[in-house]
Amino acid sequence: MRDTSGADTGATGAGDGTSQARGGTSQARGGASQAGGGAVVRVRFPWEERVPVEVLLGQVRGRLEVGDRRVREFLAEFGRRLLRPTLARRHPELGSLGFFLRPSELARTIEGMAGEHVRVPRGLIFHIPPANVDTVFVYSWALSALMGNRNVVRLSPRSGAVAEAIVETLQEALREADPVVGQTQRIISYEREAEAVTTALSAACDLRVVWGGDRTVQDVRRYPLPPHARDLVFPDRSSFAVIRAAAWLCAPRATRVSVAEGFVNDTYWFDQAACSSPRTVFWVGAEVDCDAARADFIDHVSRVVTARGWGVDAAMAVEKRVSTYGLAAEGVAQSVEFRGNALANVTLAAADQAPRRWLGAGTFAHARLGSPAELAGLVERRDQTMTHYGFGRPELEELARALAGPGVDRMVPVGSALSFHRVWDGVDLPAEFTRLVTVVR
Amino acid sequence: MSVFTMDEAEREAVLVPELAALTERHRATCRPYRRILDAIGAVPPYERLMDLPWLPVRLFKTHELRSVPQEQVFRVLTSSGTTGQQPSQVYLDREAAAAQTRMLAATLRVVLGERRLPMLVVDSRSVVRDPTLSARGAGVLGMMNFGRDHTFVLDEQGRVDAEAVKGFLERHGSRRFLIFGFTFMVWLWLRDLGADLSQGVLIHSGGWKRLAEQAVDNAEFRRRLAAECGLTRVHNFYGMVEQIGTIFLEGPHGDGLYCPDFANVVIRDPETWQEAPNGVPGLIEVVSTLPTSYPGHVLLTEDLGVVRGVDDGAWPGKRFEVLGRLPRAEARGCSDTMGQVG
């Protein structure tokens, strides 16, 4: 794989290729002081190499169209490889990614883009995904590539084993792909101290996609974009669950078990720190129902957690004590109950004090609401996903309209909190990754 | 009068009622503490040390926990701890401040004797001059109270000041003198002096992490100091700003840290939260009767430790070892890509 593109890499590596390769990291670190020149990035895809950022930008050429067949074939092949049993067993989260990349899903996304205008790619997209959720970068990159963009994705040098597996699988899938895929797509790594790289990539792109916390967004905004370009940002968000107590109490045991399983998937998968993982559970109904439903729910969740063998390490156990005792000290938590280290439940003194910050894996705040309409007074702009159980569609749609001002971008059943969708954080990603050309004759 | 006198049974009998009373006193006077105890359902009687409700020590970084009115606060202690974190805030009234100074002196007297000794500081004078006093500077400054004729081993540029050390040893080297420094500073600079320190009593603290990286443990540390400087009276200690005045001091034979009579440690299994058997590592909980102005009398630290023995060493009570710091919990969240982790 590494030498198939000799024409591309040869030009850059011929001069001082060896010293570059050796000095890559330190050069990248020192990049801040250099005005863009010479800062080296480590390319991870389509092949491994080290090149100065300017060379990288020169390499990312080629034209694609919205829904380009060659990209679709590549993504579908990549998705198929992710679903291989050996890989899916080792990294189960890759299964849902593979599912997202099925040919039928890709076709549906493209069909949804039809309209009266001519849709064209935006151009060069610079992606900055979070370092610690290994799969997120693939979703936004894949949608962007599907929309015909050239992409440069910055993968953290400290990304984990899952990211490694993804990059390897991408490289494998590339062997079957049209060369245009390798020409137009780049995944790179560089130290964040290498400000020259961020500067150069920002100055060259048509859209910059920043996933991560508020701090990252603020930090990245220091690097200017070209006048026509803009940022698509995904700052800190928090999420909650709403369960109708009566519905829970009336549900057959098998249903309660599967909802509890779904809830555990929503929360424990990324240590409850994914922006869409619920942190607070609002119980809707009469007090006596809510108390009974909550107790039964906690029992079920506890059993699932035990059966799955989810545990937390000592550091996380201490973290949960610090955060929940802190809530108690502030008068926010009325009671704090631990079921081993893996599950902690906090009863809030008042529903409007629901904490938005991360409290440690498997830490749930609970509060009661008389009706779902009371959420209108509680939600904030940073509230993203509402997972629900026991509500009908008309009721949810009415609620969505009622909450419209402040927040909540997604309402999905318990168990679907982490399922990625092309509409995320209230943003239609394929639409953002394209531009509309008005044609009137 | 030594403060290392009580065996484990006697210590438990004396401390539990005192700490239980302190728990109720803080419950009555510190509202955030009362709310915590209420939320976790902590109620007396507390019959064993194990039964006392503990606070995670990090709460002193995130919350104001004070059991005396603001106007009675005589001194606020802060410590930076790990970078990027809030400092701990510890509120002392006159009584608590006096008690911590008195008991620290009583503890050190066991190895230093009644009189102030000439003192060699294995550091530079600049660490105590910095207006934004570092934890290291504060430690040196606090310790200087227990010595006289303070002589710094390093000059302002951080190089060994051979003349100063030579002068000090000419004046004091033939009789008992005090040496103080942070563990890694001692390792870095003291061995190279080529001096005869056989009359010195070394007190050192600050953790073993940097030495562990060089595969130097306590036994090696003591062996090399003895071989290279003749320094045989060596006492490591463990303490923290959240329990100021209480230090757990290494016994004369280097066989572990000992608890003064007004304090103790419990090693808790971080899975069951029960007391770990001797020899089994766990989280260190420190208890002390000194914190009367803030609810810091029973604290769960984020340090790992192990009890090596009970009532079987140079001094009575538990002897234990600190094994290192528990790493901070890290989440695989969506937040802070380049800001923090990237």
Side-chain angles (χ1 to χ4, degrees):
Chain A
M1 197 74 261
R2 279 170 186 81
D3 52 5
T4 50
S5 61
D8 270 357
T9 55
T12 75
D16 53 353
T18 43
S19 68
Q20 261 175 19
R22 229 183 300 121
T25 327
S26 59
Q27 263 182 302
R29 273 190 184 283
S33 57
Q34 301 162 359
V40 169
V41 298
R42 177 188 167 199
V43 178
R44 317 282 298 272
F45 176 87
W47 42 73
E48 290 280 342
E49 64 174 333
R50 288 181 188 276
V51 293
V53 63
E54 291 83 358
V55 174
L56 175 96
L57 283 167
Q59 287 174 351
V60 189
R61 283 189 303 259
R63 288 174 66 91
L64 300 167
E65 57 185 53
V66 173
D68 201 286
R69 178 187 52 79
R70 298 165 295 180
V71 173
R72 282 164 73 171
E73 283 170 0
F74 168 71
L75 290 177
E77 174 62 26
F78 170 54
R80 253 193 305 281
R81 287 170 181 275
L82 291 179
L83 290 170
R84 282 176 308 189
T86 45
L87 197 58
R89 254 200 307 278
R90 211 159 8 111
H91 304 295
E93 60 263 58
L94 293 182
S96 34
L97 180 54
F99 202 70
F100 183 80
L101 295 171
R102 282 171 308 153
S104 56
E105 281 294 320
L106 300 177
R108 211 192 329 264
T109 300
I110 294 153
E111 282 156 21
M113 306 306 292
E116 57 176 311
H117 298 275
V118 175
R119 199 174 278 277
V120 297
R122 247 178 213 282
L124 179 67
I125 318 290
F126 175 28
H127 301 258
I128 303 177
N132 45 3
V133 180
D134 289 334
T135 50
V136 162
F137 82 89
V138 189
Y139 288 102
S140 83
W141 162 74
L143 285 172
S144 176
L146 187 63
M147 291 300 110
N149 293 294
R150 287 170 288 129
N151 291 285
V152 176
V153 181
R154 188 257 182 191
L155 194 57
S156 165
R158 273 167 289 290
S159 58
V162 182
E164 290 302 319
I166 289 170
V167 169
E168 275 171 34
T169 310
L170 280 169
Q171 288 178 347
E172 286 174 26
L174 189 72
R175 286 177 203 147
E176 322 274 323
D178 188 286
V180 77
V181 175
Q183 281 163 25
T184 50
Q185 312 300 323
R186 290 288 183 285
I187 296 170
I188 61 168
S189 288
Y190 62 91
E191 297 291 334
R192 81 185 178 96
E193 292 82 358
E195 299 195 349
V197 178
T198 308
T199 302
L201 293 173
S202 297
C205 73
D206 299 289
L207 178 72
R208 186 168 58 186
V209 185
V210 186
W211 298 80
D214 295 355
R215 265 177 50 200
T216 303
V217 171
Q218 300 293 3
D219 186 47
V220 171
R221 279 191 175 144
R222 293 187 294 123
Y223 301 92
L225 291 169
H228 74 275
R230 61 191 185 84
D231 274 325
L232 183 55
V233 296
F234 297 91
D236 282 336
R237 305 300 301 270
S238 68
S239 296
F240 60 86
V242 188
I243 302 178
R244 189 189 293 287
W248 176 270
L249 292 172
C250 295
R253 187 179 157 75
T255 306
R256 283 178 283 149
V257 170
S258 72
V259 173
E261 282 171 347
F263 184 81
V264 167
N265 290 344
D266 285 350
T267 48
Y268 283 81
W269 202 283
F270 289 107
D271 295 338
Q272 212 188 346
C275 50
S276 53
S277 296
R279 291 173 189 175
T280 298
V281 185
F282 292 106
W283 295 91
V284 178
E287 199 162 339
V288 54
D289 284 355
C290 287
D291 288 348
R294 188 187 62 223
D296 184 58
F297 175 81
I298 291 170
D299 284 346
H300 274 89
V301 168
S302 180
R303 270 196 288 273
V304 175
V305 167
T306 308
R308 297 264 179 95
W310 286 104
V312 302
D313 61 14
M316 189 71 84
V318 171
E319 185 74 38
K320 293 168 72 168
R321 302 277 169 162
V322 173
S323 63
T324 55
Y325 283 28
L327 290 178
E330 293 155 20
V332 171
Q334 206 166 58
S335 73
V336 176
E337 181 226 16
F338 292 89
R339 299 270 181 113
N341 282 341
L343 178 60
N345 290 286
V346 170
T347 304
L348 296 175
D352 63 2
Q353 290 183 311
R356 260 66 180 188
R357 65 175 194 272
W358 179 71
L359 302 171
T363 309
F364 304 102
H366 298 268
R368 190 184 76 85
L369 301 176
S371 77
E374 287 176 26
L375 282 171
L378 303 178
V379 302
E380 297 174 1
R381 185 66 199 93
R382 58 180 290 141
D383 292 329
Q384 181 211 51
T385 297
M386 176 184 118
T387 43
H388 56 77
Y389 177 77
F391 299 92
R393 186 172 176 101
E395 204 173 6
L396 292 169
E397 285 180 354
E398 189 190 320
L399 185 60
R401 276 185 285 273
L403 302 183
V408 176
D409 299 315
R410 294 170 78 216
M411 295 181 173
V412 296
V414 170
S416 301
L418 302 179
S419 321
F420 193 82
H421 190 266
R422 65 190 189 86
V423 177
W424 194 256
D425 265 18
V427 169
D428 184 343
L429 289 168
E432 295 294 327
F433 290 139
T434 52
R435 201 158 59 74
L436 295 177
V437 181
T438 309
V439 180
V440 181
R441 77 171 275 277
Chain B
M1 179 63 193
S2 173
V3 292
F4 295 95
T5 65
M6 287 190 206
D7 66 26
E8 195 54 30
E10 186 184 0
R11 187 184 301 259
E12 174 100 2
V14 170
L15 288 185
V16 171
E18 279 190 48
L19 293 166
L22 261 180
T23 299
E24 297 315 304
R25 172 171 159 184
H26 289 308
R27 189 202 294 263
T29 50
C30 176
R31 190 152 78 128
Y33 183 69
R34 178 171 70 240
R35 286 166 161 170
I36 292 170
L37 295 192
D38 290 351
I40 62 174
V43 284
Y46 313 110
E47 286 171 1
R48 301 167 307 159
L49 219 47
M50 277 295 301
D51 303 334
L52 290 159
W54 43 264
L55 291 189
V57 71
R58 213 191 315 149
L59 273 190
F60 289 89
K61 296 185 191 293
T62 56
H63 291 79
E64 183 177 324
L65 298 168
R66 170 165 59 74
S67 305
V68 292
Q70 187 72 60
E71 59 273 16
Q72 280 177 31
V73 173
F74 170 69
R75 189 178 295 151
V76 182
L77 301 167
T78 61
S79 113
S80 57
T82 323
T83 39
Q85 277 192 43
Q86 296 264 26
S88 282
Q89 301 265 349
V90 172
Y91 300 87
L92 298 179
D93 61 4
R94 261 171 207 288
E95 186 199 342
Q100 65 95 4
T101 313
R102 196 170 61 244
M103 298 321 285
L104 179 60
T107 306
L108 288 170
R109 207 177 293 137
V110 175
V111 293
L112 297 181
E114 290 294 328
R115 288 215 303 260
R116 283 192 185 205
L117 298 174
M119 181 173 180
L120 200 57
V121 180
V122 192
D123 217 313
S124 158
R125 188 178 290 277
S126 56
V127 290
V128 298
R129 282 221 202 100
D130 192 340
T132 59
L133 200 62
S134 64
R136 204 169 100 197
V140 170
L141 208 55
M143 205 64 195
M144 282 169 70
N145 291 326
F146 301 99
R148 62 182 170 86
D149 191 11
H150 307 108
T151 302
F152 288 81
V153 170
L154 303 178
D155 65 17
E156 303 276 315
Q157 281 75 43
R159 293 171 309 213
V160 170
D161 190 342
E163 283 306 304
V165 175
K166 201 171 141 212
F168 178 89
L169 291 174
E170 276 166 10
R171 293 194 298 280
H172 308 294
S174 60
R175 301 186 59 184
R176 193 144 66 139
F177 61 93
L178 164 62
I179 309 172
F180 174 74
F182 282 84
T183 308
F184 72 91
M185 296 289 285
V186 167
W187 180 253
L188 222 51
W189 301 112
L190 212 51
R191 293 176 306 133
D192 288 345
L193 289 178
D196 174 16
L197 304 175
S198 54
Q199 296 305 307
V201 182
L202 171 66
I203 307 282
H204 70 106
S205 185
W208 290 94
K209 187 160 177 274
R210 291 174 69 167
L211 288 189
E213 282 163 10
Q214 299 174 38
V216 177
D217 60 8
N218 191 29
E220 172 75 356
F221 182 85
R222 295 173 70 95
R223 193 184 65 73
R224 293 277 291 275
L225 285 176
E228 293 168 34
C229 323
L231 190 52
T232 53
R233 280 171 285 194
V234 174
H235 299 274
N236 185 23
F237 75 83
Y238 173 68
M240 62 206 72
V241 72
E242 294 85 354
Q243 236 174 47
I244 193 82
T246 305
I247 61 170
F248 301 89
L249 192 61
E250 188 177 26
H253 313 308
D255 55 359
L257 299 160
Y258 289 81
C259 311
D261 290 344
F262 50 89
N264 208 344
V265 293
V266 176
I267 304 298
R268 282 196 193 260
D269 178 333
E271 191 61 44
T272 63
W273 300 99
Q274 296 302 302
E275 185 159 19
N278 295 350
V280 176
L283 286 169
I284 302 174
E285 173 186 313
V286 290
V287 306
S288 166
T289 58
L290 298 190
T292 49
S293 55
Y294 62 99
H297 57 305
V298 187
L299 297 179
L300 187 82
T301 72
E302 293 183 33
D303 293 318
L304 294 166
V306 62
V307 171
R308 291 296 182 206
V310 182
D311 296 333
D312 63 348
W315 297 330
K318 286 176 186 161
R319 56 187 179 87
F320 69 102
E321 192 182 328
V322 179
L323 300 173
R325 189 164 284 276
L326 192 68
R328 288 290 301 274
E330 277 187 48
R332 298 198 299 154
C334 307
S335 298
D336 280 342
T337 56
M338 298 188 53
Q340 209 165 36
V341 221

